[in-house]
């Protein structure tokens, strides 16, 4: 992966590119193939760059959204899929798949509002839901002003920006809004793709980031690394405990602290609207999907070697981009899952050593 490519990623200009360590047309046959979520793309790109330098093996990853990743792994066109919406255990079983969490992070609301600085405006889940339902249309609406009495809010029309593609970021955002607004749950609901009543659609986290940057009065939602790298103004949120929190790694960690991975069948864990004074309310894990009995055992082994390397060597790179690495206890569980579940001819495709 070239430094120019990484710079391109940092400025969110990936919408028209295949997300890979080399262009798809020249990808090596030995490269690991995957597709899916844009939420973890910045850290996957960083890990892939370091891994290729160390091992010579590249990662050919298409950042097409979680919905696309699920479709591609089910169609067996890639070695792994990536999704920020975990599949339920029964769906995994039906498809012959397993899933495991690779990284955790936060989805943040971002705005393009003249005169407003990052973190200066806060919203509640209910008010955010009302904006995306088209019920709040101006930035100086009484509901927003009530939460921000000391902020000079402009009489500017709100332009909600949403993900037009099927995505895990959509799922995390709509799952949070469904938990905080019964009306949103009934009228729109939580899914990778929903019918938005108003706003502007954009593809991928990078597409939403770019659309917000160029649209006055807009609000969108992106994985935090995209907001940070693109220098977009974020909003703070009121969490389940009624406390105002800013998006940062400590807040993502606080939300993830009580996750019971050991007892979650198929690692099905949602981290939205978690309790705790410090918890960021739109936190989520990004998952890898692979076949229990892969058609190409050697390709699956190469993918697992990469994921194992990332677990063991990627924590510092992850925190630099404000992602939350998986705890060592969870990594140990996942490694056991690999050995017990991903097999060819009754033998593990790859056996990892402890982290």
């Amino acid at each position: 992966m070239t430094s120019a490519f990484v710079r391109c990623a940092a400025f969110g200009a990936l919408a028209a590119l295949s997300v890979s360590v080399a262009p798809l047309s020249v990808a090596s046959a030995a490269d690991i193939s995957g597709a899916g979520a844009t939420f973890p793309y910045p850290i996957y790109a960083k890990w892939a760059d370091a891994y290729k330098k160390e091992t010579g093996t590249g990662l050919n990853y298409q950042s097409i959204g979680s919905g696309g990743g699920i479709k591609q792994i089910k169609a067996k066109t890639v070695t792994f899929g990536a999704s920020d919406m975990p599949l339920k255990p029964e769906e995994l079983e039906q498809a012959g798949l397993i899933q495991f969490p690779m990284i955790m992070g936060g989805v943040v609301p971002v705005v393009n509002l003249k005169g407003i600085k990052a973190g200066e405006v806060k919203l509640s889940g209910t008010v955010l839901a009302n904006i995306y339902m088209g019920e709040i249309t101006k930035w100086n609406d009484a509901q927003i002003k009530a939460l921000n009495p000391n902020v000079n809010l402009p009489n500017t029309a709100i332009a909600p920006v949403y993900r037009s593609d099927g995505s895990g970021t959509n799922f995390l955002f709509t799952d949070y809004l469904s938990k905080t607004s019964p009306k949103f749950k009934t009228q729109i609901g939580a899914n990778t793709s929903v019918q938005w009543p108003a706003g502007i659609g954009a593809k991928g986290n990078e597409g939403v980031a770019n659309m917000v940057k160029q649209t006055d009065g807009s609000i969108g939602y992106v994985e935090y690394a995209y907001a940070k790298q693109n220098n977009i103004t974020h909003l703070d949120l009121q969490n389940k405990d009624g406390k105002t929190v800013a998006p940062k790694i400590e807040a993502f960690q606080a939300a993830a602290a009580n996750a019971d991975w050991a007892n979650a069948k198929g690692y099905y864990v949602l981290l939205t609207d978690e309790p705790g004074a410090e918890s960021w309310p739109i936190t989520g894990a990004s998952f890898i999907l692979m076949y229990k009995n892969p058609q190409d055992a050697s390709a699956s082994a190469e993918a697992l070697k990469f994921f194992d390397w990332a677990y063991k060597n990627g924590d510092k790179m992850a925190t630099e981009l404000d992602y939350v690495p998986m705890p060592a206890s969870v990594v140990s569980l996942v490694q056991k899952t690999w050995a017990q579940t991903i097999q060819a001819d009754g033998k593990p495709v790859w056996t990892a050593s402890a982290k």
Side-chain angles (χ1 to χ4, degrees), residues 7 15 20 93 99 110 142 153 155 169 226 253 306 317 350:
R7 286 196 300 273
S20 53
E93 189 64 33
Q99 70 187 357
V110 291
L153 292 161
N155 184 32
T169 304
Y226 289 87
Q253 288 171 329
F306 169 72
M317 288 179 269
W350 165 251

Side-chain angles (χ1 to χ4, degrees), residues 27-345:
S28 164
D31 283 353
I32 301 157
S33 68
T38 66
F39 177 97
Y41 171 70
I43 186 56
Y44 287 0
K46 198 167 187 177
W47 283 343
D49 187 31
Y51 189 70
K52 188 174 178 71
K53 288 174 182 174
E54 188 173 313
T55 67
T57 301
L59 175 66
N60 179 16
Y61 180 74
Q62 300 170 59
S63 175
I64 57 174
S66 296
I70 293 167
K71 287 179 182 177
Q72 287 218 23
I73 188 63
K74 286 186 174 181
K76 301 182 179 180
T77 57
V78 290
T79 302
F80 73 90
S83 175
D84 306 323
M85 181 188 74
L87 298 188
K88 292 182 178 178
E90 53 269 28
E91 186 175 356
L92 291 170
E93 189 64 33
Q94 186 177 24
L97 295 167
I98 72 157
Q99 70 187 357
F100 52 88
M102 197 66 218
I103 197 73
M104 296 180 285
V107 174
V108 303
V110 291
V111 297
N112 180 345
L113 208 50
K114 291 175 183 175
I116 298 298
K117 299 174 183 175
E120 190 176 358
V121 171
K122 71 174 180 181
L123 295 178
S124 65
T126 302
V127 171
L128 192 55
N130 288 343
I131 289 171
Y132 271 88
M133 286 190 291
E135 295 181 1
I136 295 177
T137 60
K138 291 289 184 73
W139 278 107
N140 62 350
D141 183 274
Q143 291 184 52
I144 302 177
K145 287 173 72 174
L147 291 168
N148 303 275
N150 299 318
V151 180
N152 185 22
L153 292 161
N155 184 32
T156 303
I158 299 175
V161 180
Y162 59 84
R163 284 285 293 272
S164 59
D165 53 324
S167 77
T169 304
N170 255 350
F171 173 73
L172 292 172
F173 188 68
T174 57
D175 184 68
Y176 166 63
L177 296 185
S178 293
K179 286 176 177 175
T180 55
S181 168
K183 191 173 182 180
F184 186 94
K185 182 178 181 179
T186 300
Q187 294 187 3
I188 298 175
N191 213 326
T192 54
S193 184
V194 299
Q195 190 66 46
W196 296 103
I200 308 164
K203 189 175 181 181
N205 271 284
E206 60 275 6
V208 171
N210 287 333
M211 184 62 73
V212 169
K213 286 187 76 172
Q214 67 190 34
T215 307
D216 186 41
S218 62
I219 182 171
Y221 50 94
V222 295
E223 195 284 316
Y224 184 59
Y226 289 87
K228 192 172 183 180
Q229 290 173 2
N230 288 279
N231 196 30
I232 312 175
T233 301
H234 71 261
L235 302 182
D236 287 356
L237 286 174
Q238 194 176 76
N239 66 17
K240 190 168 188 172
D241 283 21
K243 304 295 184 182
T244 300
V245 287
K248 55 185 178 179
I249 192 167
E250 293 84 0
F252 306 151
Q253 288 171 329
N258 296 321
D260 187 6
W261 294 103
N263 293 308
K265 189 176 181 181
Y267 297 103
Y268 187 85
V269 171
L270 300 178
L271 301 172
T272 50
D273 203 32
E274 285 289 287
E278 305 297 324
S279 295
W280 180 254
I282 323 179
T283 301
S286 197
F287 297 82
I288 300 297
L289 296 163
M290 295 183 69
Y291 278 97
K292 294 179 181 179
N293 302 113
Q295 290 180 326
D296 189 336
S298 61
S300 291
E302 286 299 322
L304 292 176
K305 286 178 188 177
F306 169 72
F307 297 134
D308 184 54
W309 177 92
Y311 276 146
K312 293 173 180 174
N313 301 280
D315 286 5
K316 184 174 183 293
M317 288 179 269
T319 55
E320 286 171 352
L321 289 176
D322 292 279
Y323 288 94
V324 180
M326 300 308 302
S329 59
V330 178
V331 172
S332 180
L333 288 171
V334 170
Q335 290 170 335
K336 289 176 184 175
T337 298
W338 292 346
Q340 294 168 357
T341 312
I342 305 180
Q343 299 190 348
D345 299 320

